[in-house]
Amino acid sequence: MYAGIDSLKDRYRTLYIGATGNLHCKQTKEIIPTDTITEQERVGLTDLLKSKHDIVPIFVPDKTGYGHYEGYCKQVLWPLLHYIMWNETVDEKRYWEDYVKVNQLFADQVAHYYEEGDIIYIHDYHLLLVPQMLREKLPNNTRIGIFIHTPFVSSEIFRTLPRRKDILKGMLGSNLVSFQTYNYARHFSSNCTRILGYEYTPSGIDANGTIVGLGVHPIGIDVQWVRKHCHRPGVKPRMKAIRAKYGPEMKIIVGRDKLDPVKGVLQKLESFEEFLKNYPEWVGRAMLIQVTSPGVVDCPAKLETKAAEAVNRINSRYGSLSFQPVHHYHQHIDRDEYYALLSVADVMLVTPLADGMNTTSLEFVVAQEETNKSPLVLSEFTGTAGSLSAAEIVNPYDYAQVADALHACLVMSQEEKEERFKKSDDMVNRHTASYWAHCLIHDLVTRAAKESHWGPTPPLDVDRLQIEYNGSHKRLLFFDYDGTLTPICSKPEDAKPSALTLKNLERLCADPHNTVMVVSGRDQATLEKWLGHIPQLGLSGEHGCFIRDPNSKHTISMLDQIDMGWKEDVMEVFQYYTERTPGSFIESKKCALTWHYRTAEDPKYGAFQAKECQNHLEQSVISKLPVEILVGKKTLEVRPTSINKGEVIKRMIAQHPDASFLLCAGDDKTDEDMFRVLVKMKSKGISQLIFSVVIGPAEKSTLAVWHVETTDQFNQILNTLT
């Protein structure tokens, strides 16, 4: 990570902000408690690090720092993100308080040094709340990204976390959330759907109108740095020593892991035992050198004991006075020994049960460039498996499969070794740490440049609206129906237009300078029944599936251009959830299917089922069909992707290029399609005066520029336009 960030200095002015960690006395080597460091010493150290290294230290109080890192990070988050539940003795609530405090310390420090135009990138699970904390402190256009180095688990695991919503919302304060693999990004989006009820779109997570992008950026290594250390003077003598010790004919299988429960050391030993059992011809001819070091979490004594027992069992069963199958070293080894082992290996065996990336496998490829071109056996549960496709990819729980892979690697021809190695080496040399870091910045800048909205929306400036309205000769007015012209009702059939709404529409349509369209999710027949009698009023039902232009009696259907075969699959899913959610019902429109849970007997259960239904559709239906899900107010609607309210806006603007004033009002996510079209028009320098208005509170995330609190207030405002 640090090599990648350092590489950015060629193009950017960089500033590192991080906690000091343990500070040691230069003379005694003892740890200095952070609480004992004076203010003068803190200022001096900060000035020194900032001026010489572009680093700003954060002095975290000792007790708070312990609760954050040793507590919540290492005992709650890290295990959970690797599919391990935290110990029941862990004081999650107290550690959470420290986690929040440290995240706030980071957010405060970043905000202090922030300058307009800066790009902020936050790294890993220790700081998941910082993006949203910064979003509340900094300007709305601040570019914020977060990269998660660990795996990200499925919702079945993540939803067990008591603070799950806080963490997801904290991460969604970013413009871009990036992961090591597509699977981790998919798990995150599923969590946002099932826990927060947010919609996943091709552009990212729709967090109440703000689109947060998802990125996949597998990390690389500093290839030049690794290559340099492989050529250190101390490496070759150690390689010769290893070969001399075990003999030139001995096949050396190398493993190097932290002794964490998720690193798969026990599975590796069991697999090696299976290998010797299934392929007895390798007894006395192949050995495993396994180096382990202390893990991220405190290693349970029984894990170390089990590893020792497995080593002893294998050595007793298959060893002799002249041959020891497994050499296990539970210790730190120096850098020269490490690269000597990687360079001399005939096979590298990497078997984590869950791992963000596993850069050891990448370093192994570089170390082999000038030696054996040896093959790699790699767990499918590492992030690296998606990049190193030329490796033997295995399930570490399937000991027989791992044993077969080891045998295949040991009997592999030199020609095949070199062919596979070339593919891996090309990938490692292309996708370096520098490449990773530059891609992160490029994709964040690109994502942030797209339409989004952070912060509260100001109330509609009614005086300005009236002045601009009266000063315009040609006007286009677009109104949503439910939630905009009329309040949302528990029963859709009760949302009939009020006398004031009808009066406003009739008066606006009677003005020859106006072109008025009601663009609704309602079916066309209902719109015609309630509003069809108003002269000059245009109507579009089912989010643009049907359009009757102003001054026309003919309704245009978009159905002729669309394959509606998807409805059967979606109906089956909706029926499943309707049967299991008392009070919910399905509304079948000609162009869409809508599942209503507003009248569910248990509102909380209805909301829970809606998230489950949404996730079900996104995982099994939506990804395969040309349709999308619209998450409305206690509704889920599925419609063709080619039909939306924004297309109606485009059509009307094309028909009236001389219009100089546009008013567009809506209240939910379906209306964001209209606002999105207007945002793009504005970005292209279109000269029309545009008033985009969302009905709802100021805090509502939207692409609209203004807000009006209620439908009654909006109707009163329309009544003033003359």
Side-chain angles (χ1 to χ4, degrees):
M1 179 182 82
Y2 298 108
I5 296 173
D6 273 338
S7 71
L8 296 172
K9 290 183 176 180
D10 293 340
R11 297 181 58 186
Y12 301 94
R13 178 175 59 88
T14 62
L15 182 67
Y16 300 82
I17 297 178
T20 59
N22 290 330
L23 295 172
H24 296 264
C25 177
K26 188 175 182 180
Q27 287 76 29
T28 65
K29 308 299 182 185
E30 294 180 353
I31 295 177
I32 303 172
T34 304
D35 297 346
T36 65
I37 301 173
T38 66
E39 184 62 29
Q40 184 179 358
E41 290 171 330
R42 296 184 185 206
V43 171
L45 185 57
T46 299
D47 291 343
L48 175 68
L49 290 173
K50 189 170 184 295
S51 61
K52 287 197 171 185
H53 304 287
D54 297 318
I55 294 174
V56 173
I58 296 178
F59 299 90
V60 180
D62 294 313
K63 185 178 178 182
T64 305
Y66 179 88
H68 168 262
Y69 184 67
E70 299 293 338
Y72 203 79
C73 289
K74 289 179 65 173
Q75 297 186 50
V76 179
L77 279 181
W78 191 91
L80 185 81
L81 293 173
H82 291 82
Y83 290 91
I84 300 173
M85 296 303 298
W86 63 89
N87 192 299
E88 60 183 14
T89 61
V90 172
D91 190 349
E92 188 270 343
K93 182 179 179 181
R94 181 173 66 83
Y95 288 155
W96 168 254
E97 293 172 357
D98 292 328
Y99 185 81
V100 174
K101 288 177 183 176
V102 172
N103 275 250
Q104 192 65 61
L105 283 175
F106 271 80
D108 292 344
Q109 196 76 311
V110 173
H112 175 74
Y113 285 97
Y114 174 80
E115 296 178 6
E116 182 67 29
D118 283 353
I119 299 169
I120 300 171
Y121 232 109
I122 298 147
H123 285 271
D124 224 3
Y125 63 94
H126 312 81
L127 302 171
L128 298 178
L129 306 180
V130 173
Q132 185 56 40
M133 289 175 172
L134 287 174
R135 193 60 71 188
E136 294 168 0
K137 284 175 165 287
L138 299 177
N140 295 337
N141 63 348
T142 304
R143 295 171 290 187
I144 302 173
I146 185 168
F147 181 80
I148 310 301
H149 292 256
T150 63
F152 204 88
V153 293
S154 63
S155 57
E156 285 76 11
I157 300 295
F158 192 80
R159 70 199 306 178
T160 63
L161 191 64
R163 307 293 176 170
R164 57 195 184 175
K165 289 186 177 181
D166 301 273
I167 287 174
L168 290 176
K169 288 179 179 179
M171 295 172 70
L172 290 171
S174 309
N175 296 96
L176 181 69
V177 183
S178 292
F179 301 89
Q180 300 273 20
T181 72
Y182 169 75
N183 275 342
Y184 302 158
R186 181 170 57 84
H187 287 161
F188 177 74
S189 67
S190 177
N191 275 291
C192 290
T193 297
R194 301 185 74 177
I195 294 171
L196 299 178
Y198 290 166
E199 181 182 358
Y200 173 70
T201 74
S203 301
I205 305 297
D206 187 343
N208 289 328
T210 297
I211 303 297
V212 179
L214 298 184
V216 177
H217 299 93
I219 198 170
I221 59 173
D222 186 345
V223 173
Q224 296 301 328
W225 188 90
V226 174
R227 196 173 285 138
K228 171 185 170 184
H229 284 279
C230 287
H231 290 117
R232 281 165 58 97
V235 174
K236 281 195 175 180
R238 283 173 168 79
M239 290 173 61
K240 289 180 180 178
I242 294 170
R243 274 297 169 199
K245 181 177 181 179
Y246 301 116
E249 301 302 319
M250 180 65 68
K251 296 296 183 182
I252 299 176
I253 301 167
V254 171
R256 198 269 190 181
D257 307 274
K258 292 179 179 177
L259 195 56
D260 278 324
V262 300
K263 293 301 181 180
V265 175
L266 293 181
Q267 286 72 17
K268 183 184 300 188
L269 293 169
E270 296 282 359
S271 296
F272 183 69
E273 183 176 20
E274 185 81 5
F275 164 71
L276 295 177
K277 172 187 171 185
N278 294 349
Y279 299 95
E281 65 269 27
W282 288 109
V283 175
R285 297 174 54 212
M287 59 175 289
L288 171 66
I289 299 179
Q290 175 64 46
V291 179
T292 56
S293 57
V296 173
V297 295
D298 293 333
C299 174
K302 62 181 181 181
L303 179 60
E304 192 172 342
T305 301
K306 284 183 177 181
E309 289 173 350
V311 170
N312 291 334
R313 184 180 68 248
I314 296 168
N315 287 339
S316 299
R317 187 171 297 170
Y318 297 101
S320 64
L321 291 176
S322 60
F323 172 63
Q324 184 177 331
V326 181
H327 293 253
H328 179 214
Y329 302 96
H330 184 48
Q331 63 188 62
H332 290 288
I333 59 174
D334 67 34
R335 188 172 291 156
D336 288 352
E337 285 181 313
Y338 172 62
Y339 286 113
L341 264 180
L342 294 187
S343 300
V344 82
D346 293 294
V347 178
M348 184 77 184
L349 182 55
V350 182
T351 57
L353 311 179
D355 208 351
M357 201 58 190
N358 193 277
T359 54
T360 300
S361 55
L362 305 178
E363 293 176 336
F364 167 73
V365 173
V366 177
Q368 287 285 319
E369 287 178 340
E370 297 180 12
T371 55
N372 307 325
K373 311 273 192 299
S374 296
L376 169 69
V377 178
L378 183 62
S379 165
E380 66 182 79
F381 303 123
T382 63
T384 328
S387 304
L388 294 176
S389 57
E392 287 283 338
I393 308 298
V394 296
N395 176 354
Y397 292 103
D398 187 343
Y399 304 153
Q401 185 194 21
V402 179
D404 292 343
L406 287 173
H407 175 71
C409 288
L410 291 174
V411 300
M412 190 178 292
S413 68
Q414 189 61 33
E415 182 182 358
E416 184 178 353
K417 284 183 185 179
E418 292 182 1
E419 183 182 340
R420 287 184 176 221
F421 180 81
K422 186 178 185 306
K423 292 180 181 178
S424 297
D425 195 48
D426 287 347
M427 193 288 300
V428 173
N429 279 277
R430 281 198 317 271
H431 296 85
T432 62
S434 175
Y435 176 86
W436 164 79
H438 283 82
C439 284
L440 280 180
I441 298 300
H442 173 271
D443 289 359
L444 171 57
V445 171
T446 302
R447 175 66 254 174
K450 295 181 179 179
E451 79 281 344
S452 61
H453 179 86
W454 300 97
T457 307
L460 177 60
D461 187 338
V462 179
D463 291 338
R464 180 184 168 192
L465 175 71
Q466 292 170 338
I467 292 170
E468 301 294 358
Y469 178 89
N470 293 329
S472 301
H473 182 73
K474 182 69 175 177
R475 315 179 192 102
L476 291 177
L477 312 178
F478 303 98
F479 305 126
D480 169 49
Y481 184 76
D482 292 278
T484 302
L485 294 176
T486 62
I488 297 290
C489 296
S490 298
K491 296 180 179 180
E493 61 271 19
D494 291 341
K496 296 178 181 178
S498 66
L500 179 59
T501 298
L502 293 173
K503 174 188 171 185
N504 287 335
L505 291 175
E506 289 169 354
R507 184 173 43 77
L508 291 171
C509 290
D511 188 330
H513 300 295
N514 292 341
T515 297
V516 185
M517 286 284 299
V518 172
V519 188
S520 172
R522 289 270 180 178
D523 63 272
Q524 192 73 10
T526 300
L527 291 178
E528 292 288 355
K529 178 181 177 182
W530 290 348
L531 305 174
H533 64 282
I534 300 176
Q536 319 302 327
L537 177 64
L539 298 173
S540 177
E542 299 192 28
H543 306 294
C545 186
F546 300 95
I547 302 173
R548 179 169 67 76
D549 291 325
N551 303 313
S552 174
K553 295 183 179 179
H554 176 65
T555 299
I556 302 169
S557 172
M558 302 297 174
L559 285 175
D560 300 337
Q561 310 167 25
I562 299 171
D563 177 12
M564 300 298 291
W566 55 269
K567 291 184 81 171
E568 184 176 339
D569 292 337
V570 175
M571 177 62 82
E572 187 177 332
V573 175
F574 277 171
Q575 286 175 339
Y576 175 89
Y577 285 93
T578 301
E579 291 168 2
R580 290 158 177 78
T581 313
S584 65
F585 64 93
I586 302 168
E587 180 184 4
S588 181
K589 304 174 184 178
K590 291 182 179 179
C591 198
L593 286 174
T594 306
W595 186 63
H596 295 261
Y597 59 95
R598 180 175 287 106
T599 54
E601 293 179 7
D602 184 339
K604 288 186 178 179
Y605 184 65
F608 172 82
Q609 286 289 78
K611 295 171 187 175
E612 294 294 303
C613 180
Q614 180 187 348
N615 188 65
H616 187 159
L617 288 168
E618 287 178 349
Q619 300 298 326
S620 62
V621 179
I622 302 304
S623 59
K624 305 172 187 176
L625 298 170
V627 294
E628 61 183 348
I629 303 176
L630 301 176
V631 181
K633 293 181 177 177
K634 299 193 183 300
T635 64
L636 289 179
E637 181 164 298
V638 179
R639 68 176 187 192
T641 52
S642 58
I643 292 180
N644 60 68
K645 293 182 178 182
E647 296 301 315
V648 179
I649 295 271
K650 290 180 186 177
R651 185 174 181 274
M652 295 303 297
I653 291 174
Q655 291 178 1
H656 302 275
D658 56 336
S660 59
F661 175 96
L662 280 79
L663 170 61
C664 179
D667 73 305
D668 65 16
K669 292 182 180 180
T670 66
D671 302 311
E672 295 298 317
D673 291 323
M674 296 194 290
F675 301 148
R676 189 168 288 110
V677 169
L678 299 179
V679 167
K680 289 180 179 178
M681 284 178 54
K682 206 166 185 178
S683 67
K684 293 177 181 178
I686 303 299
S687 59
Q688 285 101 331
L689 290 163
I690 299 175
F691 285 83
S692 54
V693 182
V694 67
I695 311 303
E699 295 74 24
K700 192 172 191 175
S701 294
T702 178
L703 293 174
V705 176
W706 310 93
H707 88 277
V708 172
E709 290 283 347
T710 66
T711 58
D712 287 341
Q713 289 179 12
F714 185 65
N715 270 292
Q716 292 298 332
I717 291 170
L718 290 182
N719 194 38
T720 66
L721 298 181
T722 56

